[in-house]
Amino acid sequence: MRPAVILLSFNSEDTLSATLSPVRQISNEVFVVDSYSKDKTVELARSFGATVVQHPFEHYGVQRNWAIDNLPIKSAWQLHLDADEAMDDKLVAAIQALPDEPEHSGYFLARYVRFLGRVLRHGGMNPTWHLRLFRTGVGRCEDRKYDQHYLLKSGSSGQLPGVLVDDIRMPLTEWTARHNRWADAEVAEMEAEETSDRLQPDARGNPAQRKRFLRERYNQLPLFIRPFCLFAYRYFFRLGFLDGTEGFIFWVLQTFWFRFLVDAKIWEKRHAAQTPIETADKPAP
C-alpha cells in the first residue's frame, strides 16, 4: 500500500521534519495543508517533496474535510496526520505490509502524547486510538468544533501495531491559550447538540465510539464536581502519577484545569441567561 498522506500545519517547523521523515518511507504523494505559517514550515515541507496548499483555518473538522474534498488525491488510500505526529518504525512497517486490498476499509492508529519532552504512558489515555488511515471515498471527519474523529461511510475498521507520537513542543503560554479557545469550542458544541454526521457513542463499538460513550457519561455528572473526579481517576486510579513531574503538570492542566474551565464557561452562559439586566432609573431632567 502507498497511501496519500495529508498533513495539517501551522508554524510547525520544530516538529515537521520528524513527521515527514517516516512519511517518505510509505508514500510519494504527500500534501501539507498549511494555514499561512509565519515560520519556515512551507519551505521545510517543500524540501521533503511535499505539495503545499494554503487554506485558512476555521477548525480541524472543516480543515480536514476541505482537504478530503479539494486535494487532487490519486491514491486509493489516505493517511491523515498533524504536523507534530511522528510514526514509529513499527507503524511504518505495518502500513508497508498492508496489501493493496486489505481486509478493512479503515485502520485505527495508537497515539501517545509527548509533553514537556516526556512521552506519557499512563493515565488511561496513553495510547488513544484514532482512525487516520482509510480508503479514499469512505472517510470523513466530524464537523465538530472540538474533539473531532474520522468516520467511515462504509466497511469495517481494524487496528495497526505501532504508534504515533504527538510531540507537543509549544510553550505552556500557547498551550493554555489554545485550550482556552478550545473550551469555547467545546461549550458551543455542547450547546448545539448536533447529532447528524457525528460519531455515535457505543460502549461496545470501536475505540472512538467507546471514548465518545465515556465522554457522554462524564457530561452527565454535575458541573464543577466532574473535573475533580476526572483528575482523581486519571492521576491516581489510572496511575498518571507514574509520568513524573511532566505528567503531573499535564494531568492537572488537561483533566482538571481545562475541564473546570469548560464548566465555568457553561455556568457563565447559564447564569447570564437567567439574570435579568438591571437598569438604574435616571432622574428627571
Side-chain angles (χ1 to χ4, degrees), residues 54-75:
Q54 299 278 11
H55 188 259
F57 186 88
E58 181 179 344
H59 62 72
Y60 283 102
V62 170
Q63 195 80 333
R64 296 188 194 282
N65 287 330
W66 182 89
I68 291 173
D69 293 337
N70 293 278
L71 293 178
I73 299 170
K74 298 178 182 178
S75 176

Side-chain angles (χ1 to χ4, degrees), residues 235-250:
Y235 192 69
F236 296 107
F237 185 74
R238 298 306 300 269
L239 307 181
F241 61 87
L242 294 178
D243 287 317
T245 302
E246 297 88 350
F248 177 69
I249 295 172
F250 179 83

Side-chain angles (χ1 to χ4, degrees), residues 188-240:
E189 189 65 37
M190 294 171 68
E191 288 183 335
E193 297 183 346
E194 291 286 345
T195 58
S196 60
D197 298 324
R198 296 294 198 274
L199 182 72
Q200 297 304 308
D202 187 347
R204 298 181 179 180
N206 63 46
Q209 289 175 314
R210 295 196 297 270
K211 178 183 176 183
R212 187 60 54 81
F213 173 83
L214 293 174
R215 175 60 58 80
E216 288 204 346
R217 292 298 179 271
Y218 170 86
N219 288 339
Q220 293 172 6
L221 297 175
L223 291 182
F224 303 121
I225 300 299
R226 54 195 186 185
F228 288 93
C229 296
L230 182 61
F231 172 75
Y233 172 74
R234 297 242 180 254
Y235 192 69
F236 296 107
F237 185 74
R238 298 306 300 269
L239 307 181

